[in-house]
Amino acid sequence: MIAVLGLVVGVVAGLLVRPEVPAVVEPYLPIAVVAALDAVFGGLRAMLDGLFDDKVFLVSFLSNVVVAGFIVFLGDQLGVGGQLSTAVVGGVGIRIFSD
């Protein structure tokens, strides 16, 4: 219940404050959100299966976001950022729907 309350408070605060995202971070934000959603849905599935572990969830959440962001950063450095962004979203999207 605390997590749901925190989510609601965060969404309302985001809508009221309207934070500005720096231009440097903009290409990575959608990928980070999709990777975070993958971890959330994986955690939800683990909870429904009775296998949820908060430490595993936290490591999964952070590593998904960092690895997805790094892949997109590497793609930007190589000049193929758009293609790697699409690949990350496709791969993570498949994992989300499999959960």
Side-chain angles (χ1 to χ4, degrees), residues 5-24:
L5 181 62
L7 177 66
V8 170
V9 169
V11 169
V12 170
L15 291 173
L16 293 176
V17 175
R18 300 242 181 216
E20 293 291 325
V21 178
V24 175

Side-chain angles (χ1 to χ4, degrees), residues 2-98:
I2 293 173
V4 173
L5 181 62
L7 177 66
V8 170
V9 169
V11 169
V12 170
L15 291 173
L16 293 176
V17 175
R18 300 242 181 216
E20 293 291 325
V21 178
V24 175
V25 181
E26 280 182 4
Y28 309 108
L29 187 61
I31 303 303
V33 169
V34 171
L37 283 174
D38 174 42
V40 168
F41 284 118
L44 181 62
R45 179 178 181 201
M47 187 176 67
L48 292 174
D49 290 341
L51 303 171
F52 183 79
D53 183 14
D54 56 346
K55 292 175 186 167
V56 172
F57 172 73
L58 184 62
V59 169
S60 171
F61 186 88
L62 293 175
S63 64
N64 277 0
V65 171
V66 169
V67 169
F70 179 72
I71 290 171
V72 175
F73 171 75
L74 185 62
D76 284 344
Q77 297 302 310
L78 296 172
V80 292
Q83 290 87 350
L84 279 180
S85 294
T86 304
V88 168
V89 169
V92 172
I94 290 171
R95 285 186 49 174
I96 288 172
F97 284 112
S98 70

